[in-house]
Amino acid sequence: MPRTLHTYTVTPRLPERLAPLRELAYNLRWAWHPDTRALFVTLGGEPLWKECEHNPAKLLGMVPQATYDALSQSPEFLEKLDAVWADFSAYKNAPADPRWAGLGTVAYFSAEFGLTESLPIYSGGLGVLAGDHLKAASDINLPLVAIGFLYQNGYFRQSLNADGWQVERYPSNDFYTLPIEPTEKKIAVQFPGRIVHAAIWKAQVGRIPLYLLDTNLPENADADRHIAGNLYGGDQETRIQQELVLGVGGVQALADLGITPTVCHMNEGHSAFLSLERARQLRDKTDLSFSEATNATAAAHLFTTHTPVPAGFDIFPGELVWKYFGEFAPKLGISFEELLDRGRAPQMEPGKFNMAVLAFRHARYINGVSKLHGHVSREMAHPVWQEFPLDEVPIGSVTNGIHTPSFLSRQMAELLEAHDNNPLELPDEALWNIKQERREILVKWARTYQRKRAELRKASDREVDEADNILDPDVLTIGFARRFATYKRGDLLLREVERVKRLIAHADRPVQFVFAGKAHPRDDGGKELIRRIVQFSHDPQVRGRVVFLEDYDMAMARRLVQGVDVWLNNPRRPYEASGTSGMKVVMNGGLNCSILDGWWAEAYADNGSAVGWAIGQGEDYADLAYQDHVEAQAIYHLLEDEIAPLFYARDEFGIPRGWVAKMKQSMHKLGPVYDTRRMVTEYATTYYLPAAKRAAKLAENNFALTRELVVWKEKVRHEWPQVRLDSVTTDSDHLEAGQQATVRAALWLGETLLPGDVQVQLYTGPVDTDRNFLHAAGIPLTCEGKDGGAWIYTGHLPTEHSGQQGFSVRVLPYHPEAILPQELPLIVWE
């Protein structure tokens, strides 16, 4: 074996006339542009396109030189190339959108990005959502860059053993055949006693650059080379290493690339260390203190949380944080204990460092990913703002969407385009024919796929041959594909297997089921769900009509969402933060049948049964076994009495008019709303633009306002223990509607605070029989002057509504330029 190995890269030699192919291959717009994909299929042929796993960059190196030479002389191919290139050039060079004037550049950080199956740096919904965010940002020409990891092994590939148990394997990615390019830039991140280097690669996503960090470099120690080895792999130490490189290293990468973001968007808490690095860099450039630097940078930070349970937040023991940040704290001008406090909150794993808490404290803007999840997030974050009413915890919501062009079948896209993208104008016959065709395509593909998988695992000849007959292209097809976690209850349908068998074998209204999805490698509960479904699919009475497709990825997802009739979703409410898989079937003419959780809770609330079916009515249960029983019964009822009868109610032309009407309503009402172009526009208008404006204002005149606010906050914190209310009185506790009643309160402010530093509010609203507010709002009281040592405030009780009302008086900090309570979560109640 040689002692020294030198490497070099060979790239295909394209004739000059075909030169545009290279830029087209290395710009991921082909992932959502059918004509560009079709061009590459024509270039190499369908078999080669499949062999290169739908990767044009790899395809370029596999096409024989003779083919290039021939195509460079082919008028037909050149005509297609010129049309695609002209469309691409017009897209790439479109003028700036005036809506984003003054925004600057948004930097979007995520641990994973699902852009295409041929760039395997994603695990599931979070990554696909991040990829769709970039695609939509490109489509609306939003000035955005993104930072992530280039994983050597990515997420695992799934296979199943003969028992149906999931087996994982981690094939190594060959970066030089992926649709990415090196930038020749490297960063150096300080680790305990050493430097970890990371190369910066670039994936161009339409108009959006995505920069990916690669630690598999010869200058790193062997262990450090694997920091970017597996997505969500390793132990806690690997996780903190990854998050250090993503957050701290990601900010350094942008600086080295000459990019100064005006806003940083943290997609989950994995990148929250960026807040510390941005404060450090600002301190190095100015004379700002840590408090001043964090106030200035936090104004430009947005944190999006996707988890519905506190266990979903990354939490590290203090000693591990000390190991990696003990030497970092002095660079911020603070002690390590102060740094640790930035990630600690009462009642949230005391003594441990919570990445979500770090993000909460260093982002002035925070959101969940559906309306219901916004409420759940406020409950989880309540310990950080524990004295505030739940509805005043400063977390909003932007409901997720999907990048429709990435999942829409070409046939449906062409039909919609022919009718001005108005689903209500689609002819019933044409719409139904496409749905039938896509189901047939799904069945044909599934048969081929299952046969190949059976051959790979050396299944019996009988099992291999049976794959040729799985599924029926004319039968109502229900899909269930997602991550297999226990709360998603992938086996809920199997609570009464005999009833499922009757559904499948019904003489007039048969049903068939297609399952797919991966369980986390350490989630044996999720793996057991998969095994149970697989073993049930082997029952002779359902064989071929219940199918589990292994190794779920984006390519399979497209096949499924384009082909199934109904998308089934039955998580345990409220553990589905949003869910996006069901959105993907909408514009493909599929219908949703789901628990009222995540996005479906609001979609169904707004539109009702015109667009799909609800499992239950949004109930919460203490007895989980009883919940499973009730909701399984609801699914059986819907399938037996509503879904199957409607699907098979055909007219003389063989068209289910009622079903098609429901398809149209779903497409019309849901498609435009649950789309990432709406979502990213909402992020831009609700968060990015205000954050950029706020950060710019704080930076004016050498950060004059920043310094003023920090002085004010320090004064308020120091004096707050002296603030108290007493002598709260009112004229009467029994009033008639419209009768005026005065509330009077005495406020003690301590030595240096003045009425202008606080706001005194009457907090009032209707109460229930247990004297709890049903809902309430704060009404400012008026300062009437001083009486002795106390400031006197007065106001009037609202009496517009009859019934039992309640009120209390409270004091909050007030500054016209502060974002409260995010910046200063202080409150005093009487």
Side-chain angles (χ1 to χ4, degrees):
M1 293 291 291
R3 295 185 178 182
T4 302
L5 178 67
H6 303 277
T7 63
Y8 60 99
T9 304
V10 178
T11 58
R13 178 177 58 83
L14 295 175
E16 183 177 354
R17 188 65 177 83
L18 303 183
L21 285 172
R22 192 179 196 290
E23 185 170 353
L24 291 172
Y26 283 87
N27 189 306
L28 288 162
R29 184 178 178 240
W30 53 258
W32 72 94
H33 192 254
D35 287 345
T36 309
R37 288 200 305 275
L39 181 72
F40 284 111
V41 173
T42 301
L43 173 66
E46 188 71 39
L48 195 57
W49 177 246
K50 290 180 180 178
E51 183 182 342
C52 74
E53 299 179 305
H54 308 161
N55 177 357
K58 187 175 183 179
L59 177 72
L60 291 183
M62 298 173 71
V63 173
Q65 195 64 46
T67 301
Y68 284 128
D69 294 338
L71 290 176
S72 69
Q73 304 298 319
S74 167
E76 182 181 0
F77 183 81
L78 294 176
E79 182 181 0
K80 293 178 181 177
L81 172 61
D82 290 344
V84 168
W85 179 248
D87 181 85
F88 172 78
S89 300
Y91 179 89
K92 183 177 69 170
N93 300 317
D97 191 319
R99 292 179 295 174
W100 320 131
L103 175 56
T105 300
V106 176
Y108 183 88
F109 288 71
S110 183
E112 54 173 302
F113 289 89
L115 294 154
T116 166
E117 61 274 12
S118 59
L119 185 56
I121 55 172
Y122 66 96
S123 69
L126 179 69
V128 175
L129 184 280
D132 282 5
H133 195 109
L134 303 194
K135 294 173 182 177
S138 175
D139 287 343
I140 65 174
N141 209 357
L142 186 76
L144 183 144
V145 301
I147 292 285
F149 266 121
L150 185 57
Y151 297 100
Q152 187 64 63
N153 303 114
Y155 204 51
F156 70 90
R157 304 299 298 268
Q158 178 197 55
S159 59
L160 302 176
N161 66 19
D163 190 43
W165 189 257
Q166 174 180 290
V167 178
E168 301 92 21
R169 60 185 178 88
Y170 293 87
S172 182
N173 289 321
D174 179 359
F175 297 160
Y176 290 93
T177 63
L178 297 180
I180 57 175
E181 297 181 283
T183 66
E184 307 305 326
K185 294 275 189 181
K186 293 181 181 179
I187 58 169
V189 183
Q190 182 67 56
F191 267 50
R194 65 193 191 279
I195 298 293
V196 170
H197 301 271
I200 306 172
W201 294 70
K202 178 183 176 183
Q204 190 66 36
V205 187
R207 302 179 179 107
I208 306 298
L210 165 59
Y211 296 103
L212 300 168
L213 304 177
D214 164 27
T215 61
N216 189 10
L217 304 178
E219 53 262 52
N220 286 334
D222 285 347
D224 293 337
R225 294 179 68 166
H226 297 291
I227 290 172
N230 296 339
L231 173 59
Y232 304 140
D235 55 14
Q236 275 200 315
E237 186 152 11
T238 302
R239 291 296 289 270
I240 200 171
Q241 290 175 344
Q242 290 182 334
E243 295 179 14
L244 172 56
V245 173
L246 179 62
V248 175
V251 172
Q252 293 177 8
L254 291 175
D256 287 358
L257 291 163
I259 298 169
T260 304
T262 50
V263 176
C264 288
H265 184 170
M266 295 174 271
N267 188 44
E268 258 309 340
H270 309 114
S271 61
F273 287 134
L274 72 83
S275 60
L276 301 179
E277 175 63 11
R278 278 173 51 84
R280 185 198 67 78
Q281 289 189 7
L282 185 57
R283 288 190 75 246
D284 287 351
K285 297 174 185 175
T286 64
D287 62 344
L288 295 178
S289 67
F290 173 73
S291 293
E292 291 165 342
T294 54
N295 274 268
T297 53
H301 293 166
L302 166 63
F303 170 48
T304 297
T305 175
H306 294 258
T307 183
V309 290
F313 298 142
D314 278 338
I315 298 173
F316 299 114
E319 57 270 22
L320 193 59
V321 181
W322 165 256
K323 179 177 180 179
Y324 286 91
F325 283 88
E327 296 180 4
F328 194 89
K331 298 176 183 178
L332 297 171
I334 59 174
S335 69
F336 175 72
E337 192 65 21
E338 289 175 296
L339 186 151
L340 207 56
D341 280 342
R342 308 306 295 177
R344 295 192 292 203
Q347 303 171 21
M348 291 183 76
E349 296 269 3
K352 294 191 176 181
F353 191 90
N354 187 311
M355 293 297 286
V357 173
L358 178 68
F360 290 151
R361 293 214 169 108
H362 290 85
R364 294 295 175 256
Y365 307 93
I366 310 167
N367 74 282
V369 291
S370 68
K371 291 178 182 177
L372 178 58
H373 182 242
H375 173 78
V376 171
S377 298
R378 288 187 286 276
E379 290 183 325
M380 290 193 296
H382 205 190
V384 181
W385 293 275
Q386 57 185 328
E387 295 297 325
F388 286 81
L390 183 62
D391 62 356
E392 293 184 4
V393 172
I395 298 178
S397 66
V398 175
T399 302
N400 283 345
I402 58 107
H403 186 250
T404 303
S406 293
F407 299 95
L408 189 63
S409 75
R410 182 153 194 167
Q411 296 95 321
M412 192 67 79
E414 291 173 350
L415 180 65
L416 285 163
E417 186 176 356
H419 293 84
D420 298 322
N421 290 305
N422 183 352
L424 298 181
E425 296 298 321
L426 302 181
D428 287 4
E429 294 81 359
L431 179 57
W432 181 243
N433 286 341
I434 286 177
K435 193 70 238 177
Q436 293 273 72
E437 180 184 353
R438 292 308 312 184
R439 193 185 318 108
E440 291 171 6
I441 290 172
L442 170 62
V443 169
K444 181 180 179 181
W445 170 83
R447 290 172 176 176
T448 302
Y449 183 83
Q450 288 294 80
R451 183 180 184 90
K452 288 181 179 178
R453 301 298 295 197
E455 290 171 344
L456 282 173
R457 64 173 177 270
K458 295 180 170 52
S460 66
D461 291 343
R462 178 186 61 80
E463 188 176 349
V464 171
D465 291 339
E466 282 177 349
D468 292 338
N469 297 301
I470 63 169
L471 304 176
D472 184 325
D474 297 317
V475 165
L476 170 60
T477 304
I478 297 175
F480 183 102
R482 54 188 43 84
R483 181 167 61 92
F484 268 74
T486 51
Y487 80 86
K488 292 178 183 285
R489 299 187 296 178
D491 66 342
L492 185 62
L493 188 72
L494 304 187
R495 284 186 67 87
E496 294 186 22
V497 294
E498 294 305 317
R499 202 164 174 182
V500 177
K501 290 177 182 179
R502 289 196 298 271
L503 276 166
I504 291 169
H506 196 286
D508 301 315
R509 300 193 299 268
V511 179
Q512 59 192 6
F513 298 90
V514 181
F515 292 88
K518 299 177 179 179
H520 189 281
R522 292 191 292 272
D523 182 4
D524 284 350
K527 293 181 182 181
E528 183 58 41
L529 296 181
I530 293 173
R531 176 161 63 180
R532 186 174 180 212
I533 291 168
V534 172
Q535 291 182 344
F536 177 66
S537 73
H538 294 159
D539 187 310
Q541 293 179 270
V542 303
R543 186 178 289 131
R545 297 298 178 264
V546 175
V547 174
F548 189 96
L549 302 171
E550 61 191 76
D551 205 25
Y552 185 48
D553 67 0
M554 291 182 70
M556 184 186 294
R558 286 194 302 273
R559 300 274 190 181
L560 290 172
V561 300
Q562 292 169 9
V564 301
D565 301 294
V566 174
W567 199 255
L568 180 64
N569 187 35
N570 43 243
R572 197 181 298 286
R573 177 186 160 105
Y575 295 148
E576 186 87 298
S578 172
T580 55
S581 58
M583 300 176 188
K584 298 178 178 80
V585 304
V586 169
M587 291 307 291
N588 284 295
L591 296 171
N592 279 273
C593 177
S594 176
I595 296 288
L596 291 173
D597 199 7
W599 78 281
W600 189 244
E602 60 198 78
Y604 195 83
D606 292 341
N607 302 284
S609 59
V611 298
W613 294 273
I615 302 168
Q617 299 176 2
E619 303 92 341
D620 294 321
Y621 294 86
D623 185 334
L624 301 186
Y626 179 66
Q627 177 184 11
D628 290 348
H629 169 75
V630 170
E631 292 175 346
Q633 294 300 313
I635 293 173
Y636 300 142
H637 163 72
L638 288 170
L639 291 173
E640 292 165 345
D641 300 336
E642 296 188 32
I643 295 175
L646 187 65
F647 180 85
Y648 287 105
R650 310 295 171 89
D651 65 8
E652 65 272 25
F653 301 103
I655 297 173
R657 301 287 176 180
W659 187 275
V660 172
K662 213 174 187 76
M663 290 167 61
K664 290 183 180 180
Q665 287 297 318
S666 172
M667 297 168 74
H668 173 67
K669 293 183 175 181
L670 304 182
V673 176
Y674 299 98
D675 181 275
T676 42
R677 285 166 292 193
R678 183 275 310 160
M679 182 193 80
V680 176
T681 299
E682 189 174 342
Y683 272 115
T685 56
T686 305
Y687 295 119
Y688 296 164
L689 286 166
K693 184 177 179 180
R694 169 77 175 168
K697 188 173 185 178
L698 288 174
E700 289 175 354
N701 302 316
N702 192 25
F703 297 92
L705 179 56
T706 298
R707 299 173 198 268
E708 175 190 328
L709 284 170
V710 169
V711 170
W712 172 76
K713 284 187 274 190
E714 289 176 350
K715 178 184 74 170
V716 171
R717 285 194 189 96
H718 182 263
E719 293 290 330
W720 202 251
Q722 310 302 317
V723 175
R724 61 186 173 88
L725 284 161
D726 63 17
S727 303
V728 175
T729 61
T730 183
D731 295 344
S732 172
D733 60 4
H734 188 80
L735 305 168
E736 294 183 353
Q739 181 181 348
Q740 192 172 82
T742 300
V743 175
R744 184 181 186 275
L747 172 65
W748 301 84
L749 281 175
E751 296 180 3
T752 62
L753 293 184
L754 296 171
D757 294 319
V758 299
Q759 185 175 83
V760 181
Q761 293 181 349
L762 177 70
Y763 186 75
T764 181
V767 296
D768 61 20
T769 55
D770 294 323
R771 297 171 62 84
N772 296 314
F773 282 112
L774 297 172
H775 55 82
I779 303 172
L781 298 180
T782 302
C783 183
E784 303 292 354
K786 211 168 188 181
D787 183 0
W791 296 93
I792 305 304
Y793 283 77
T794 64
H796 299 291
L797 289 175
T799 57
E800 296 88 352
H801 303 288
S802 300
Q804 188 79 3
Q805 307 289 315
F807 77 91
S808 186
V809 177
R810 63 185 187 175
V811 188
L812 303 101
Y814 175 76
H815 190 292
E817 297 294 345
I819 299 178
L820 300 169
Q822 290 95 314
E823 295 191 47
L824 198 58
L826 300 175
I827 191 169
V828 167
W829 295 89
E830 66 168 291

